[in-house]
Amino acid sequence: TGSGGPDAFGYKWKDSDESGGPAYNWIEISGIGTPIPFTGDDQNLGAFNIGFNFPFYGTDFSSFRACSNGWISFTSSATGFTNYDLPSTSAPENLIAPFWDDLTFGTSGDAFYYNDGQRLIIEYKDVPRLTSGGPYSFQIHLYPSGRIEFHYQSMQGTRLNEATIGIQNATLDAGLAPAFNVNYVHDSMAIRFEAQTPWLSAAPTSGTVAPGNSAIVT
């Protein structure tokens, strides 16, 4: 399906193939962004400045780390190339994974990040898979509100059904995976993740509060 959730925290997701989903919005930053200097296989680099405090599963983060295998984390320095369904105790904590697979920068591919004043953009550009597949070009957009978007410009090759796409929290017990080892992602596609906290999702949608009273009368 083109949407899912909520998870235990309240995150939901929806893709651009679904009614009401996000619009595909590729913002090329290769000429203006700061390089993430991957040079080979299974690397994790950082920390890199986000430019604002980004709220993720109830914690604010001001920096991120990037893994060459198609994911970022706000805390993890892991380099794992074996992907898992989410949530998973085997996956990195505080994870944002637009395309977690066995990617490599050994022969080609670049990565960049850039804050354009509205969001942080992290771009993986023309990155191949280790033995075959790709190259892949995709971005993460992080917004001060906590919204997360994935944008896929060019997803080539025949091995698109071997990746994890999703997010998970610090304690590895809440997360969402729109895709795990299935054919799903395609060119010119976007996915949006947003959280609605449990107390807010239970709030009444109408009513009034009488003067001097704390109860809502519907």
XYZ file of all heavy atoms in Angstrom, residues 16-88:
556
model
N 3.998 9.260 -2.702
C 3.460 10.139 -3.744
C 2.526 9.419 -4.695
O 1.853 10.073 -5.505
C 4.612 10.780 -4.535
O 5.499 9.785 -5.034
N 2.438 8.101 -4.616
C 1.472 7.361 -5.425
C 0.088 7.319 -4.774
O -0.871 6.861 -5.394
C 1.957 5.926 -5.656
C 3.210 5.874 -6.504
O 3.437 6.815 -7.290
O 3.976 4.893 -6.382
N 0.016 7.777 -3.529
C -1.227 7.730 -2.753
C -1.898 9.105 -2.769
O -1.234 10.147 -2.731
C -0.918 7.333 -1.305
C -2.110 7.081 -0.426
C -2.726 5.707 -0.620
O -2.226 4.926 -1.462
O -3.707 5.412 0.079
N -3.215 9.133 -2.816
C -3.951 10.393 -2.739
C -3.586 11.122 -1.446
O -3.589 10.531 -0.365
C -5.457 10.121 -2.776
O -6.187 11.319 -2.615
N -3.240 12.399 -1.574
C -2.829 13.181 -0.419
C -1.383 12.995 -0.030
O -0.946 13.522 1.001
N -0.647 12.257 -0.821
C 0.761 12.034 -0.524
C 1.627 13.220 -0.903
O 1.161 14.198 -1.498
N 2.925 13.162 -0.591
C 3.832 14.269 -0.888
C 4.118 14.368 -2.378
O 4.068 13.377 -3.107
C 5.094 13.891 -0.116
C 5.077 12.396 -0.131
C 3.626 12.009 0.019
N 4.421 15.566 -2.824
C 4.842 15.765 -4.208
C 6.335 15.483 -4.334
O 7.124 15.841 -3.456
C 4.547 17.195 -4.655
N 6.714 14.812 -5.404
C 8.135 14.602 -5.678
C 8.806 15.948 -5.881
O 8.328 16.806 -6.645
C 8.292 13.730 -6.926
C 9.704 13.641 -7.440
C 10.691 12.964 -6.730
C 10.056 14.240 -8.649
C 11.991 12.876 -7.209
C 11.352 14.163 -9.133
C 12.313 13.482 -8.413
O 13.594 13.408 -8.900
N 9.932 16.182 -5.198
C 10.577 17.496 -5.217
C 12.084 17.321 -5.079
O 12.637 17.457 -3.990
C 10.037 18.371 -4.085
C 10.635 19.771 -4.091
O 11.027 20.287 -5.139
N 10.708 20.384 -2.925
N 12.736 17.008 -6.192
C 14.187 16.857 -6.187
C 14.834 18.229 -6.211
O 14.558 19.059 -7.082
C 14.646 16.045 -7.385
C 16.125 15.768 -7.377
C 17.107 16.512 -7.966
C 16.773 14.676 -6.726
N 18.340 15.941 -7.734
C 18.162 14.811 -6.971
C 16.314 13.592 -5.971
C 19.091 13.907 -6.479
C 17.251 12.687 -5.484
C 18.613 12.850 -5.747
N 15.731 18.497 -5.252
C 16.452 19.761 -5.158
C 17.939 19.431 -5.291
O 18.565 18.970 -4.339
C 16.164 20.476 -3.830
C 14.656 20.716 -3.661
C 16.919 21.797 -3.749
C 14.257 21.227 -2.290
N 18.484 19.631 -6.457
C 19.869 19.223 -6.721
C 20.842 20.083 -5.911
O 20.829 21.311 -5.999
C 20.190 19.337 -8.204
C 21.585 18.860 -8.579
C 21.807 17.415 -8.146
O 21.002 16.528 -8.542
O 22.783 17.180 -7.400
N 21.698 19.434 -5.115
C 22.643 20.169 -4.276
C 24.096 19.797 -4.575
O 24.995 20.254 -3.857
C 22.344 19.937 -2.783
C 22.533 18.465 -2.392
C 20.936 20.420 -2.424
C 22.535 18.222 -0.889
N 24.340 19.012 -5.615
C 25.713 18.556 -5.869
C 26.660 19.716 -6.152
O 27.866 19.606 -5.889
C 25.740 17.559 -7.027
O 25.214 18.134 -8.208
N 26.139 20.842 -6.661
C 26.995 21.980 -6.958
C 27.138 22.963 -5.821
O 28.006 23.847 -5.873
N 26.314 22.833 -4.779
C 26.331 23.806 -3.679
C 26.482 23.165 -2.306
O 26.799 23.857 -1.335
C 25.041 24.660 -3.681
C 23.799 23.758 -3.631
C 25.002 25.565 -4.917
C 22.479 24.533 -3.536
N 26.269 21.858 -2.202
C 26.296 21.207 -0.909
C 27.696 20.895 -0.412
O 28.677 20.920 -1.168
N 27.788 20.618 0.871
C 29.040 20.182 1.483
C 29.219 18.690 1.231
O 28.315 17.897 1.538
C 29.019 20.428 2.997
O 28.844 21.831 3.239
C 30.317 19.956 3.649
N 30.347 18.260 0.673
C 30.539 16.824 0.412
C 30.590 16.005 1.702
O 31.154 16.438 2.715
C 31.883 16.770 -0.315
C 32.078 18.146 -0.887
C 31.449 19.075 0.115
N 29.994 14.836 1.662
C 30.223 13.804 2.669
C 31.287 12.903 2.058
O 31.020 12.212 1.070
C 28.939 13.029 2.977
C 27.862 13.985 3.516
C 29.212 11.906 3.981
C 26.505 13.336 3.702
N 32.509 12.898 2.576
C 33.646 12.349 1.822
C 33.792 10.828 1.890
O 34.838 10.296 2.297
C 34.843 13.064 2.459
C 34.425 13.313 3.869
C 32.949 13.610 3.801
N 32.762 10.110 1.453
C 32.892 8.663 1.319
C 33.935 8.343 0.246
O 33.963 8.977 -0.812
C 31.563 8.031 0.908
C 30.470 8.126 1.941
C 29.225 8.661 1.611
C 30.656 7.666 3.235
C 28.213 8.737 2.538
C 29.643 7.742 4.179
C 28.417 8.277 3.838
N 34.747 7.333 0.506
C 35.770 6.938 -0.464
C 35.776 5.443 -0.745
O 36.565 4.980 -1.557
C 37.169 7.334 0.045
O 37.390 6.727 1.329
C 37.303 8.841 0.152
N 34.913 4.678 -0.070
C 34.952 3.234 -0.254
C 33.688 2.564 0.231
O 32.590 3.112 0.135
N 33.851 1.395 0.810
C 32.740 0.531 1.210
C 32.576 0.552 2.729
O 33.561 0.681 3.467
C 33.038 -0.892 0.723
C 31.833 -1.803 0.794
O 30.707 -1.305 0.668
O 32.034 -3.015 0.974
N 31.344 0.458 3.197
C 31.023 0.307 4.618
C 31.692 1.380 5.476
O 32.480 1.090 6.403
C 31.427 -1.088 5.115
C 30.687 -2.197 4.385
O 29.595 -1.924 3.836
O 31.198 -3.335 4.367
N 31.359 2.623 5.199
C 31.885 3.753 5.967
C 30.752 4.466 6.683
O 29.612 4.505 6.205
C 32.598 4.743 5.045
C 33.847 4.200 4.391
C 34.500 5.247 3.487
O 33.923 5.688 2.509
N 35.718 5.621 3.818
N 31.068 5.053 7.836
C 30.139 5.889 8.590
C 30.900 7.140 8.993
O 31.909 7.064 9.697
C 29.619 5.139 9.817
C 28.527 5.901 10.554
O 28.665 7.077 10.858
N 27.436 5.205 10.863
N 30.416 8.289 8.531
C 31.128 9.547 8.728
C 30.250 10.555 9.460
O 29.036 10.506 9.399
C 31.559 10.124 7.381
C 32.439 9.227 6.496
C 32.758 9.952 5.186
C 33.717 8.826 7.212
N 30.873 11.512 10.093
C 30.178 12.568 10.811
C 30.853 12.824 12.155
O 31.906 12.265 12.440
N 30.276 13.662 12.982
C 28.918 14.198 12.823
C 28.919 15.473 11.970
O 29.901 16.230 11.940
C 28.324 14.491 14.192
N 27.785 15.695 11.263
C 27.583 16.856 10.412
C 26.436 17.693 10.971
O 25.443 17.153 11.467
C 27.256 16.408 8.977
C 28.286 15.493 8.379
C 28.033 14.130 8.237
C 29.517 15.981 7.971
C 28.979 13.276 7.689
C 30.477 15.133 7.416
C 30.210 13.782 7.270
N 26.583 19.002 10.854
C 25.619 19.927 11.438
C 24.317 19.961 10.636
O 24.343 20.104 9.407
C 26.226 21.334 11.505
C 25.337 22.320 12.214
O 24.697 21.991 13.205
N 25.301 23.544 11.703
N 23.185 19.857 11.305
C 21.881 19.952 10.649
C 21.512 21.406 10.371
O 20.920 21.717 9.338
C 20.795 19.277 11.520
C 21.063 17.769 11.625
C 19.394 19.535 10.961
C 20.143 17.044 12.595
N 21.841 22.305 11.280
C 21.495 23.717 11.118
C 20.286 24.142 11.918
O 19.933 25.324 11.947
N 19.629 23.182 12.565
C 18.509 23.459 13.474
C 18.338 22.220 14.350
O 18.965 21.179 14.108
C 17.222 23.776 12.704
C 16.858 22.762 11.645
C 16.165 21.600 11.961
C 17.217 22.976 10.308
C 15.839 20.668 10.981
C 16.886 22.047 9.322
C 16.193 20.891 9.663
N 17.512 22.332 15.370
C 17.215 21.180 16.208
C 16.097 20.378 15.568
O 14.986 20.874 15.405
C 16.819 21.623 17.613
C 17.988 22.146 18.410
O 19.123 21.705 18.236
N 17.738 23.105 19.288
N 16.408 19.140 15.210
C 15.448 18.293 14.522
C 14.828 17.311 15.505
O 15.543 16.497 16.113
C 16.130 17.528 13.390
C 15.197 16.603 12.656
C 14.260 17.104 11.767
C 15.243 15.232 12.875
C 13.386 16.257 11.102
C 14.384 14.373 12.215
C 13.440 14.897 11.328
N 13.501 17.344 15.693
C 12.856 16.427 16.636
C 12.591 15.062 16.007
O 12.003 14.961 14.929
C 11.535 17.142 16.959
C 11.231 17.948 15.733
C 12.555 18.343 15.142
N 13.039 14.007 16.704
C 12.899 12.645 16.188
C 12.592 11.719 17.348
O 13.397 11.562 18.255
C 14.189 12.229 15.479
C 14.120 10.913 14.744
C 13.313 10.768 13.630
C 14.882 9.829 15.157
C 13.259 9.557 12.935
C 14.837 8.619 14.470
C 14.025 8.485 13.362
N 11.403 11.142 17.343
C 10.953 10.258 18.428
C 11.156 10.901 19.803
O 11.611 10.258 20.747
C 11.656 8.908 18.341
C 11.114 8.010 17.252
C 11.808 7.845 16.058
C 9.901 7.340 17.414
C 11.311 7.019 15.052
C 9.399 6.509 16.417
C 10.098 6.359 15.237
O 9.596 5.534 14.245
N 10.803 12.173 19.900
C 10.792 12.847 21.186
C 12.106 13.439 21.640
O 12.183 14.003 22.737
N 13.151 13.339 20.830
C 14.454 13.915 21.169
C 14.899 14.848 20.057
O 14.714 14.541 18.879
C 15.505 12.806 21.361
O 15.089 11.931 22.410
C 16.860 13.394 21.716
N 15.488 15.982 20.431
C 16.005 16.936 19.448
C 17.466 16.629 19.152
O 18.266 16.396 20.064
C 15.894 18.365 19.976
C 14.462 18.873 20.000
O 13.587 18.206 19.417
O 14.223 19.923 20.612
N 17.801 16.661 17.854
C 19.168 16.412 17.416
C 19.650 17.577 16.560
O 18.902 18.107 15.736
C 19.259 15.117 16.606
C 18.922 13.878 17.402
C 17.650 13.320 17.330
C 19.873 13.296 18.219
C 17.339 12.188 18.059
C 19.572 12.154 18.955
C 18.297 11.601 18.875
N 20.928 17.953 16.729
C 21.503 19.056 15.961
C 22.534 18.579 14.944
O 23.056 19.392 14.175
C 22.151 20.077 16.898
O 23.188 19.465 17.667
N 22.834 17.285 14.925
C 23.809 16.755 13.971
C 23.402 15.341 13.580
O 22.578 14.690 14.240
C 25.224 16.751 14.568
O 25.301 15.885 15.681
N 23.996 14.857 12.487
C 23.710 13.513 11.996
C 24.996 12.834 11.545
O 26.004 13.488 11.264
C 22.701 13.554 10.837
C 23.270 14.093 9.542
C 23.756 13.243 8.553
C 23.323 15.463 9.309
C 24.290 13.739 7.371
C 23.849 15.978 8.132
C 24.332 15.103 7.154
N 24.960 11.512 11.463
C 26.011 10.715 10.876
C 25.462 10.030 9.633
O 24.257 9.720 9.570
C 26.528 9.666 11.860
C 27.097 10.256 13.148
C 27.749 9.169 13.989
N 28.887 8.587 13.291
C 30.137 9.070 13.353
N 30.402 10.133 14.086
N 31.113 8.476 12.682
N 26.306 9.797 8.647
C 25.873 9.188 7.389
C 26.653 7.906 7.138
O 27.879 7.867 7.329
C 26.074 10.150 6.228
N 25.946 6.867 6.704
C 26.569 5.601 6.343
C 26.552 5.453 4.826
O 25.572 5.820 4.161
C 25.839 4.440 7.006
S 26.536 2.811 6.606
N 27.598 4.879 4.288
C 27.691 4.687 2.840
C 26.634 3.714 2.324
O 26.373 3.667 1.117
C 29.090 4.171 2.469
O 29.381 2.960 3.150
N 26.006 2.961 3.220
C 25.020 1.965 2.799
C 23.591 2.514 2.736
O 22.629 1.753 2.860
C 25.095 0.741 3.720
C 26.362 -0.049 3.503
O 26.754 -0.311 2.366
N 27.038 -0.417 4.586
N 23.456 3.818 2.538
C 22.163 4.395 2.215
C 21.292 4.756 3.391
O 20.065 4.763 3.263
N 21.899 5.106 4.539
C 21.114 5.530 5.692
C 21.885 6.545 6.523
O 23.106 6.653 6.423
C 20.693 4.338 6.561
C 21.793 3.436 7.062
C 22.252 2.299 6.465
C 22.574 3.577 8.264
N 23.250 1.724 7.217
C 23.456 2.479 8.330
C 22.594 4.509 9.297
C 24.368 2.303 9.376
C 23.492 4.344 10.346
C 24.361 3.249 10.376
N 21.144 7.269 7.352
C 21.744 8.160 8.327
C 21.215 7.802 9.709
O 20.194 7.120 9.849
C 21.472 9.652 8.033
C 19.986 9.994 8.246
C 21.921 10.032 6.622
C 19.700 11.477 8.336
N 21.940 8.248 10.721
C 21.499 8.117 12.101
C 21.973 9.356 12.845
O 22.955 9.987 12.450
C 22.079 6.860 12.750
O 21.869 6.854 14.157
N 21.284 9.679 13.915
C 21.713 10.817 14.721
C 22.735 10.409 15.772
O 23.352 11.271 16.391
C 20.493 11.466 15.374
C 19.488 11.930 14.360
C 18.302 11.247 14.184
C 19.748 13.020 13.543
C 17.385 11.647 13.224
C 18.853 13.424 12.583
C 17.662 12.736 12.422
N 22.936 9.112 15.962
C 23.842 8.649 17.013
C 24.707 7.464 16.609
O 25.795 7.284 17.161
C 23.035 8.242 18.263
O 22.034 7.288 17.893
C 22.363 9.457 18.898
N 24.269 6.627 15.684
C 24.956 5.365 15.415
C 26.157 5.550 14.487
O 26.067 6.224 13.467
C 23.996 4.350 14.786
O 24.683 3.162 14.446
N 27.267 4.897 14.850
C 28.457 4.866 13.997
C 28.619 3.504 13.327
O 29.701 3.178 12.830
C 29.709 5.203 14.813
O 29.862 4.282 15.891
N 27.556 2.709 13.301
C 27.606 1.388 12.676
C 27.817 1.508 11.167
O 27.574 2.562 10.567
C 26.315 0.624 12.964
N 28.233 0.424 10.558
C 28.462 0.404 9.109
C 27.720 -0.753 8.448
O 28.071 -1.160 7.345
C 29.963 0.284 8.797
O 30.482 -0.912 9.395
C 30.725 1.487 9.332
N 26.687 -1.263 9.103
C 26.033 -2.468 8.636
C 25.457 -2.368 7.237
O 24.746 -1.423 6.912
N 25.759 -3.378 6.415
C 25.209 -3.442 5.069
C 24.063 -4.441 4.963
O 23.304 -4.417 3.994
C 26.296 -3.804 4.046
C 26.905 -5.163 4.257
C 26.338 -6.299 3.693
C 28.055 -5.313 5.019
C 26.893 -7.550 3.882
C 28.624 -6.562 5.215
C 28.033 -7.684 4.649
N 23.922 -5.338 5.963
C 22.804 -6.280 5.981
C 21.579 -5.554 6.518
O 21.575 -5.097 7.663
C 23.118 -7.496 6.861
O 24.274 -8.162 6.348
C 21.940 -8.465 6.880
N 20.551 -5.437 5.699
C 19.368 -4.663 6.086
C 18.330 -5.551 6.758
O 18.272 -6.757 6.531
C 18.768 -3.972 4.865
C 18.341 -4.943 3.788
O 19.178 -5.672 3.241
N 17.052 -4.971 3.469
N 17.497 -4.922 7.607
C 16.476 -5.619 8.369
C 15.145 -4.891 8.241
O 15.093 -3.695 7.947
C 16.871 -5.687 9.849
C 18.159 -6.425 10.105
C 19.381 -5.739 10.131
C 18.173 -7.798 10.311
C 20.572 -6.410 10.353
C 19.366 -8.479 10.533
C 20.556 -7.774 10.561
O 21.744 -8.444 10.773
N 14.069 -5.620 8.508
C 12.765 -4.987 8.629
C 12.771 -4.128 9.899
O 13.541 -4.386 10.834
C 11.673 -6.053 8.701
C 10.304 -5.524 8.313
O 10.188 -4.322 7.987
O 9.348 -6.314 8.333
N 11.904 -3.133 9.936
C 11.886 -2.196 11.063
C 10.523 -2.184 11.742
O 9.500 -2.271 11.072
C 12.228 -0.783 10.570
C 13.585 -0.628 9.877
C 13.741 0.778 9.318
C 14.727 -0.948 10.839
N 10.530 -2.067 13.101
C 11.694 -1.914 13.974
C 12.435 -3.237 14.159
O 11.862 -4.303 14.035
C 11.079 -1.440 15.289
C 9.702 -2.020 15.288
C 9.256 -1.990 13.854
N 13.726 -3.117 14.501
C 14.560 -4.303 14.689
C 15.684 -3.993 15.655
O 16.347 -2.948 15.544
C 15.155 -4.758 13.353
O 16.138 -5.759 13.554
